[in-house]
Amino acid sequence: MSGSSYTPSALIIVTGMLLTGCLSHGQADYKQQSKRTSLGDLANKASKQQVAAVQMSQSQRSAALASIYQQLLTLEPDPEIRTHVEYRLAQINTESFEAQSYTDLDDASQADSQVLAQLTKNDAALQQLIDEYRQLLQRYPQRTENEHLQYQLAKALDLQGKLDESLAEIESLLQHYPQTIYLAELNFRRGEIYYNLQRYSAAIQAYKQVLSASDNQKYQLNSLYMLGWTEFKLNRLANADKAFLQVFEALVASQQNIPQVASLTADDFAFEKLGSRAQNLAIDTQRVLSISLSQQLQAQSLVALVNDNQSLPYIGLYQHVLFANLATFLLDKKLNHDAELTYQAYIDLAPNNIWAARFSLDLLDLFQQQGKFTAMHQLKQNYVNQYGLNSAFWLNASTAHQSELLPHLLSFSDEHSRRLYANAQTLQGNERINAFAKAASALNTYLQLAQLPQAKPLLSKDIIHDQYLFADANFEAKQYQAALDSYYAIAYPPAEEESSAALTKILQQSAYATTVTIRELIAQQDTNDTEQVTAFIRKRNQLDKQFINQYPQDERALQLATNAAQYSFDSQDQANLTFYTDFVLQAYGITPLTSSSNTVQTARPLSDTAQKQVQFVSQLYANSLYQQEQYARAEEGYILALQYTDPQTPSWSEMRNLLASSIYFQAQAVKQTEPELAVSQLLRVAQAVPESQYAVNAELDAANLLLEQQRWQDAVEVLKPFQQRNPNHAFSAAIPAKLAQSYEALSQWDLAAEQLLLIVAKEDSGALKREALYTAADYYLKAGDNNKALSTFKTYATTYPQPFDVAQEVRFKISEFYQQSGDANKQYYWFKQILSFDRQQRQSDADAIQARQVELASIAAFALGEAEQRSFAAIKLNVPLQTSLKRKQDAMKKAISYYQQVLDFQLAKYVPNATYNLAEMYRQLASDMMSSQRPGDLDELALEEYEILLEELAYPFEEKAIEIHISNTQRAWDDIIDQWIAKSFERLAQMSPALYQKQELTHEVIDAIH
């Protein structure tokens, strides 16, 4: 079917040909407005006499009224009244016609003859009405009611199928009443008549008049739709397309009150998801739009249409549907190439939209069906580039979108990389190197995708083979660093798992490949760049060591170890030196020095060469460990080396002294971790090497270690005698601190506090004195001496306002003392102190205020606010109102000032509660005012006026309460929900039920035949 012969078949929503209306007043606008009833409104209501209700049907009512008006006419009233009666009688006859004419036609039980008789009767009644309308219009041409009467006449003629006569009445009505309330409807009917008469230009002007008219909601959508069709009939396709877009916009907008439609996004939008009536119109509009575009430049025209109308509110929601429909239409017409261009046009238009990715797959299917393999490969490569891990799309994509794309990305990138790798193997020279570089890049793209956690269930093979191909490709491309990284990742995975023999072989090959590749890297380096060369040689030694550890039975391991030992020594690489030393010792059957055994080995017979090697590596090993302060292992090395050293040589005495030093420093090294062992080590110095100078300081160090061993009572017993024997020793000055530490450990808090106060008394001003004072107060608290603790904390609070965070904590502790003792006034005093110092700190250095200090200030402000709120609530509003109200408002202002501070601190834990309390004070004030004591000297009218005055006074406070509660509930839009926000919702439902406790209303649109 061609576009020019196609006619609209969609369901058009129009107003029925009902003839009702008020002849004297026209149609009335009814607006429902939610309004709270005030006392003033209640006072103004007048009582009305109740009349017993009588049940009448519409037809009964019309008949009764017609009879009454007919009787009035027989009384021959004055002309004006008679005219009014005649118009009213015409209205009643119209209503009666509507109520009776088609009521029984839907009854399936009626015989055809009954239906025919009813239709005949209806036609006669309709003709009678038309005659009445015309008679009245002729007799009273200047009556204001004629606007409505002529409107009814036009519709009645339309019902009779007399389109020309109906059109003439419509044109006459619009001429005489250009601002008629029926402007939208009449122009719509003009448009329909002109369209049916194929007077398309006139129809266009009529439909545009509908769109520009006010109150055109019932006809707007159909006018847009018919405007598009009319432009289409005139072959003004671009104009038609714009009109059809407006239809889509109106349809989507009309469905926004349906939750399942309003929640649709461009990802899942389809017109089929709209309501059933909207679907039909949307489907028909889509089809005619596709027809129109197919008669233009197809995809080019659609792209231009979409680009020119990006300002439309909803076009981003459904524009992909337009491209899909056009492609489907073209495919149905066997225009495959044009369909391809359509998909490609959308991909070019919105490359970062999920529908571009989906259309790429549709395009790929078309290529495959036609055997366009080169185009398929290019499209797959473009797909990976456009939507892969490094693309802007992927970085901003949702999890669902990534899951949708990932299978295709894996398949396309895997296929592409293997094709490049196979091609590279066939080349030579620089071409081969460049080809392998491209293959490595493609393999890297695939591996990045395959290593995503969500990709694992999508893989049908173990990616380690692809990882090995990636490493080999980099090696062949002479990209040795990338090759090394890849080989290493394969050879030494983070988590060891059981492997098959084939997989183990790949791991071993990769491990050895790392040692080969690192040597290629070293060979590439500039020898003048010593830092870089040294770094690579260090890496080489590391890889050699890993290979020996992982595959000690491999014949290549001994060669790697032999080559690396000398360099490890020269470079003082302790890790590699240790490794290769143990390797040499094991080679000669000697237990390695790194063994967990504490038994020192006895020298065993070795060849001269072997003996020198053992002495050399063990002594070198010991010296290296000593330099690195690994004294225990150095001791073992020296003991082993001494077994293979001649006592007559100078190195013998040197190693003996180093042995003593190693024991001494072992004690120093384990003081924190193994203090008991450290004490025994210090005593062992004199036993092992009595001639050493290190034995002199052992006793003093042992005393210190007792403290570090937490042998507190022993430490106390040692410290006092030491002080007596060495009163001038520098260590004696630190004894009070050591004793305080010991008493603390023994939980003798009061004694520890006394020692700290001695330090406070002796120390000059400084951090130590301040910290000692704070700690003393804390110790008194632990000892249960609250009086001394409180006194000391007060001293601290008045002496040290800085550091701010500690001072605030102290003030808070003091407030807690008074909370426990029930002294609320003093507790509130310290809360005020907290707020006062917080303000000072914010003025001087706000950056010093951290989260904890904000919380303390919030606690203080909130507690003070609650206290003032309780005072506010306790004040009763009595006569005279202005006196008690002033007191209540003063208390309220104080509470507000504290709550406002809580809000300023912006601590989410307290803000909703404070906001709720603020609102409740305003609500409470309004409620208390309305329930306040009334003057006893007022009469009924005066008291009523006083009541209204109270309401006027209370109303702003109640509105303020609602406003604050609303601000609290709005935090829910930021995903902040707690009991106080919920309570605000509950309170709003009580205070303003019209807005917060209303039921949703739905409206059915009536379809009528026209």
Side-chain angles (χ1 to χ4, degrees):
M1 180 183 294
S2 67
S4 60
S5 63
Y6 186 75
T7 57
S9 60
L11 178 61
I12 303 177
I13 306 170
V14 296
T15 304
M17 286 294 297
L18 300 179
L19 303 180
T20 56
C22 180
L23 290 176
S24 59
H25 302 291
Q27 294 182 337
D29 272 334
Y30 293 92
K31 295 184 179 178
Q32 295 182 348
Q33 185 174 8
S34 176
K35 181 180 178 183
R36 294 170 55 256
T37 304
S38 68
L39 293 178
D41 295 329
L42 295 176
N44 291 329
K45 284 186 177 180
S47 61
K48 295 182 179 180
Q49 183 179 0
Q50 299 295 321
V51 180
V54 178
Q55 297 296 327
M56 299 179 69
S57 67
Q58 177 64 36
S59 59
Q60 291 173 334
R61 186 179 301 108
S62 297
L65 291 173
S67 175
I68 291 172
Y69 278 96
Q70 288 287 0
Q71 292 174 16
L72 288 175
L73 290 176
T74 62
L75 297 178
E76 296 184 357
D78 64 62
E80 179 61 27
I81 295 177
R82 180 177 185 85
T83 302
H84 177 74
V85 170
E86 288 179 345
Y87 272 86
R88 178 57 180 147
L89 186 58
Q91 178 188 8
I92 293 172
N93 291 335
T94 301
E95 293 172 352
S96 177
F97 171 78
E98 291 171 349
Q100 296 180 6
S101 58
Y102 299 105
T103 302
D104 300 325
L105 291 181
D106 293 332
D107 187 354
S109 63
Q110 293 188 75
D112 291 344
S113 58
Q114 291 177 306
V115 173
L116 182 60
Q118 181 64 40
L119 288 173
T120 302
K121 181 179 178 182
N122 293 344
D123 290 342
L126 181 60
Q127 183 58 50
Q128 183 179 352
L129 278 176
I130 290 173
D131 293 340
E132 286 185 30
Y133 295 154
R134 283 177 167 166
Q135 291 173 11
L136 288 173
L137 289 170
Q138 291 172 359
R139 289 162 56 194
Y140 309 110
Q142 304 301 323
R143 297 288 296 185
T144 58
E145 295 93 332
N146 287 349
E147 175 187 353
H148 183 71
L149 199 66
Q150 192 170 9
Y151 163 77
Q152 300 285 36
L153 175 59
K155 291 204 291 184
L157 291 170
D158 193 356
L159 277 179
Q160 284 188 328
K162 298 176 180 179
L163 299 183
D164 290 336
E165 294 183 36
S166 177
L167 178 60
E169 293 296 335
I170 291 173
E171 297 287 9
S172 173
L173 177 57
L174 291 174
Q175 181 180 359
H176 289 91
Y177 304 99
Q179 302 300 322
T180 177
I181 60 175
Y182 309 111
L183 183 64
E185 180 184 352
L186 292 175
N187 274 293
F188 180 74
R189 297 193 179 282
R190 284 176 66 225
E192 285 187 308
I193 295 172
Y194 284 135
Y195 183 89
N196 290 329
L197 296 174
Q198 298 184 6
R199 295 172 60 184
Y200 298 125
S201 295
I204 288 174
Q205 294 305 315
Y207 290 132
K208 287 183 177 180
Q209 288 291 328
V210 175
L211 297 176
S212 62
S214 60
D215 196 20
N216 64 353
Q217 293 84 352
K218 294 188 344 185
Y219 307 98
Q220 181 187 33
L221 181 59
N222 292 326
S223 294
L224 286 170
Y225 176 73
M226 292 306 301
L227 177 61
W229 262 107
T230 310
E231 295 281 10
F232 181 82
K233 290 291 187 180
L234 290 174
N235 203 32
R236 302 198 311 216
L237 301 182
N239 291 344
D241 295 343
K242 292 179 181 178
F244 291 138
L245 283 187
Q246 292 292 341
V247 173
F248 294 140
E249 290 290 313
L251 284 173
V252 176
S254 69
Q255 300 281 296
Q256 292 305 300
N257 60 332
I258 303 175
Q260 57 267 34
V261 175
S263 63
L264 292 176
T265 66
D267 294 354
D268 55 0
F269 180 83
F271 287 112
E272 289 75 6
K273 296 182 180 181
L274 301 179
S276 60
R277 294 168 182 163
Q279 281 185 41
N280 294 333
L281 183 56
I283 291 171
D284 196 68
T285 306
Q286 291 174 77
R287 174 168 176 76
V288 67
L289 177 59
S290 294
I291 294 172
S292 173
L293 293 169
S294 70
Q295 296 178 8
Q296 302 175 65
L297 296 178
Q298 300 173 349
Q300 293 182 37
S301 298
L302 180 53
V303 169
L305 177 65
V306 169
N307 284 332
D308 291 343
N309 290 276
Q310 282 300 306
S311 60
L312 295 178
Y314 300 105
I315 191 168
L317 195 65
Y318 59 80
Q319 66 182 18
H320 65 277
V321 178
L322 307 183
F323 284 86
N325 286 335
L326 178 58
T328 301
F329 179 84
L330 294 171
L331 288 173
D332 290 341
K333 302 299 181 182
K334 307 301 181 183
L335 300 173
N336 291 2
H337 178 68
D338 295 326
E340 293 172 7
L341 293 178
T342 301
Y343 285 131
Q344 189 61 54
Y346 184 87
I347 295 169
D348 295 338
L349 174 68
N352 287 323
N353 190 290
I354 185 61
W355 283 101
R358 293 167 180 168
F359 288 161
S360 295
L361 299 179
D362 293 330
L363 187 56
L364 186 63
D365 288 340
L366 286 177
F367 287 159
Q368 186 173 16
Q369 293 170 15
Q370 300 171 76
K372 297 180 178 179
F373 299 111
T374 301
M376 286 176 61
H377 297 326
Q378 185 60 51
L379 180 57
K380 290 177 180 180
Q381 186 175 353
N382 292 343
Y383 189 96
V384 173
N385 293 335
Q386 181 65 36
Y387 307 110
L389 289 183
N390 297 323
S391 67
F393 180 89
W394 184 272
L395 295 176
N396 297 297
S398 65
T399 301
H401 286 174
Q402 292 178 354
S403 299
E404 179 181 343
L405 297 180
L406 188 54
H408 308 294
L409 291 170
L410 285 169
S411 174
F412 297 165
S413 59
D414 184 27
E415 176 187 334
H416 180 61
S417 62
R418 289 185 172 274
R419 187 184 311 109
L420 291 180
Y421 189 93
N423 177 66
Q425 289 177 311
T426 65
L427 303 175
Q428 298 296 327
N430 289 333
E431 288 186 353
R432 177 183 178 89
I433 293 173
N434 295 333
F436 269 113
K438 292 180 181 179
S441 177
L443 281 162
N444 182 51
T445 299
Y446 167 72
L447 289 172
Q448 286 181 345
L449 292 164
Q451 289 169 335
L452 292 173
Q454 60 267 38
K456 187 173 182 180
L458 303 175
L459 299 176
S460 60
K461 60 180 179 177
D462 194 332
I463 65 170
I464 193 170
H465 300 285
D466 298 287
Q467 291 172 324
Y468 192 79
L469 282 181
F470 174 62
D472 274 354
N474 279 301
F475 189 90
E476 292 290 345
K478 298 187 182 300
Q479 299 172 163
Y480 294 121
Q481 184 61 60
L484 177 61
D485 294 340
S486 301
Y487 283 132
Y488 188 85
I490 298 170
Y492 306 108
E496 294 185 3
E497 299 179 358
E498 294 186 5
S499 305
S500 63
L503 184 57
T504 301
K505 184 177 181 181
I506 292 178
L507 298 181
Q508 188 168 349
Q509 288 174 344
S510 298
Y512 185 72
T514 62
T515 67
V516 175
T517 307
I518 189 62
R519 284 165 171 78
E520 293 289 348
L521 266 173
I522 294 172
Q524 279 188 339
Q525 302 307 308
D526 183 354
T527 55
N528 293 324
D529 189 355
T530 56
E531 183 178 354
Q532 185 66 34
V533 171
T534 300
F536 278 122
I537 291 176
R538 189 180 300 115
K539 183 67 174 179
R540 178 200 65 191
N541 289 344
Q542 173 203 332
L543 297 172
D544 290 348
K545 182 178 65 175
Q546 284 189 274
F547 184 82
I548 293 170
N549 276 334
Q550 192 75 16
Y551 306 103
Q553 303 305 319
D554 192 300
E555 61 183 9
R556 296 167 289 191
L558 182 59
Q559 179 181 356
L560 290 174
T562 302
N563 293 339
Q566 184 63 52
Y567 182 79
S568 299
F569 168 73
D570 293 339
S571 63
Q572 298 183 357
D573 185 341
Q574 180 61 39
N576 282 330
L577 178 59
T578 300
F579 176 76
Y580 298 120
T581 298
D582 288 348
F583 192 80
V584 171
L585 293 178
Q586 285 180 313
Y588 290 108
I590 301 173
T591 304
L593 289 168
T594 55
S595 172
S596 60
S597 174
N598 294 325
T599 303
V600 178
Q601 298 179 75
T602 303
R604 63 188 66 188
L606 294 175
S607 66
D608 290 342
T609 301
Q611 185 170 335
K612 290 179 180 179
Q613 288 178 345
V614 172
Q615 177 191 350
F616 180 77
V617 298
S618 57
Q619 183 177 353
L620 181 64
Y621 175 77
N623 285 340
S624 179
L625 291 174
Y626 185 89
Q627 293 172 1
Q628 297 181 45
E629 300 181 359
Q630 300 184 35
Y631 300 111
R633 295 173 64 192
E635 178 189 359
E636 295 176 3
Y638 287 129
I639 292 175
L640 180 60
L642 284 167
Q643 294 184 65
Y644 295 94
T645 303
D646 184 354
Q648 304 303 318
T649 61
S651 59
W652 171 268
S653 299
E654 180 184 350
M655 279 196 288
R656 287 283 290 172
N657 195 51
L658 288 171
L659 177 61
S661 177
S662 297
I663 298 172
Y664 178 81
F665 285 116
Q666 283 182 64
Q668 299 299 319
V670 298
K671 285 193 300 184
Q672 301 300 324
T673 57
E674 299 179 82
E676 293 183 2
L677 175 61
V679 171
S680 65
Q681 295 282 39
L682 287 170
L683 298 176
R684 192 166 63 85
V685 173
Q687 297 173 0
V689 192
E691 73 275 17
S692 172
Q693 60 181 349
Y694 287 97
V696 177
N697 296 325
E699 182 182 1
L700 180 59
D701 290 348
N704 289 330
L705 281 178
L706 287 172
L707 292 173
E708 297 179 9
Q709 294 178 56
Q710 299 183 2
R711 293 161 61 180
W712 307 111
Q713 191 60 45
D714 292 340
V716 171
E717 294 174 359
V718 170
L719 285 170
K720 290 182 178 179
F722 180 86
Q723 189 180 40
Q724 293 173 357
R725 291 194 307 271
N726 305 281
N728 297 322
H729 198 283
F731 181 71
S732 297
I735 286 179
K738 298 292 184 181
L739 286 173
Q741 180 187 15
S742 300
Y743 289 135
E744 175 189 357
L746 294 169
S747 298
Q748 297 176 4
W749 305 109
D750 52 345
L751 296 177
E754 291 174 2
Q755 294 295 324
L756 289 172
L757 290 179
L758 288 176
I759 296 174
V760 171
K762 293 179 181 180
E763 279 289 323
D764 294 333
S765 297
L768 177 60
K769 185 172 184 176
R770 172 175 51 77
E771 292 173 3
L773 182 61
Y774 180 89
T775 306
D778 196 39
Y779 285 173
Y780 278 129
L781 186 62
K782 290 182 177 180
D785 193 340
N786 288 347
N787 290 332
K788 288 186 178 180
L790 177 58
S791 175
T792 309
F793 274 129
K794 282 184 175 181
T795 301
Y796 184 97
T798 55
T799 306
Y800 299 108
Q802 294 294 334
F804 174 70
D805 56 340
V806 179
Q808 288 291 77
E809 290 287 355
V810 169
R811 296 180 187 104
F812 185 70
K813 284 180 181 290
I814 295 172
S815 73
E816 289 182 318
F817 277 111
Y818 290 121
Q819 181 184 23
Q820 293 172 6
S821 65
D823 194 337
N825 289 333
K826 291 184 178 180
Q827 181 190 13
Y828 295 153
Y829 168 80
W830 285 101
F831 279 158
K832 293 175 182 178
Q833 288 289 298
I834 290 173
L835 293 178
S836 175
F837 280 96
D838 182 84
R839 285 192 296 273
Q840 296 177 25
Q841 187 65 33
R842 290 179 186 276
Q843 293 172 359
S844 61
D845 184 10
D847 293 339
I849 300 177
Q850 304 299 321
R852 173 60 179 167
Q853 289 81 62
V854 174
E855 181 174 11
L856 293 179
S858 297
I859 291 172
F862 189 83
L864 290 170
E866 285 190 315
E868 294 295 346
Q869 186 174 3
R870 287 192 293 271
S871 299
F872 158 80
I875 297 172
K876 304 298 182 182
L877 294 180
N878 298 320
V879 176
L881 180 62
Q882 63 270 24
T883 302
S884 56
L885 180 59
K886 176 65 168 59
R887 290 175 54 236
K888 196 172 186 72
Q889 286 181 317
D890 288 344
M892 182 178 178
K893 289 177 182 178
K894 293 179 181 179
I896 289 174
S897 69
Y898 287 121
Y899 284 138
Q900 186 58 52
Q901 292 182 63
V902 175
L903 299 182
D904 292 341
F905 294 142
Q906 298 183 356
L907 197 60
K909 182 178 179 181
Y910 299 98
V911 166
N913 194 352
T915 306
Y916 177 84
N917 287 357
L918 275 172
E920 283 299 283
M921 280 197 296
Y922 281 104
R923 186 195 63 79
Q924 184 67 47
L925 181 58
S927 176
D928 288 354
M929 290 178 66
M930 293 305 300
S931 61
S932 63
Q933 184 181 20
R934 301 317 195 245
D937 55 352
L938 299 179
D939 62 12
E940 182 177 357
L941 291 177
L943 182 59
E944 180 179 358
E945 184 172 348
Y946 183 82
E947 295 281 353
I948 294 174
L949 174 61
L950 283 179
E951 182 184 53
E952 294 298 325
L953 292 173
Y955 180 78
F957 295 111
E958 183 176 353
E959 289 299 302
K960 184 66 174 178
I962 292 174
E963 177 185 342
I964 298 174
H965 274 307
I966 289 174
S967 72
N968 209 22
T969 60
Q970 287 175 346
R971 295 186 173 95
W973 299 112
D974 296 326
D975 294 333
I976 301 175
I977 295 293
D978 68 0
Q979 60 172 323
W980 303 108
I981 295 175
K983 285 186 175 183
S984 284
F985 275 114
E986 294 174 3
R987 184 64 74 191
L988 286 171
Q990 297 170 4
M991 298 177 70
S992 188
L995 293 177
Y996 290 89
Q997 200 178 50
K998 61 184 179 181
Q999 299 295 323
E1000 293 187 359
L1001 299 177
T1002 59
H1003 303 276
E1004 293 294 334
V1005 179
I1006 301 175
D1007 294 336
I1009 301 174
H1010 61 285

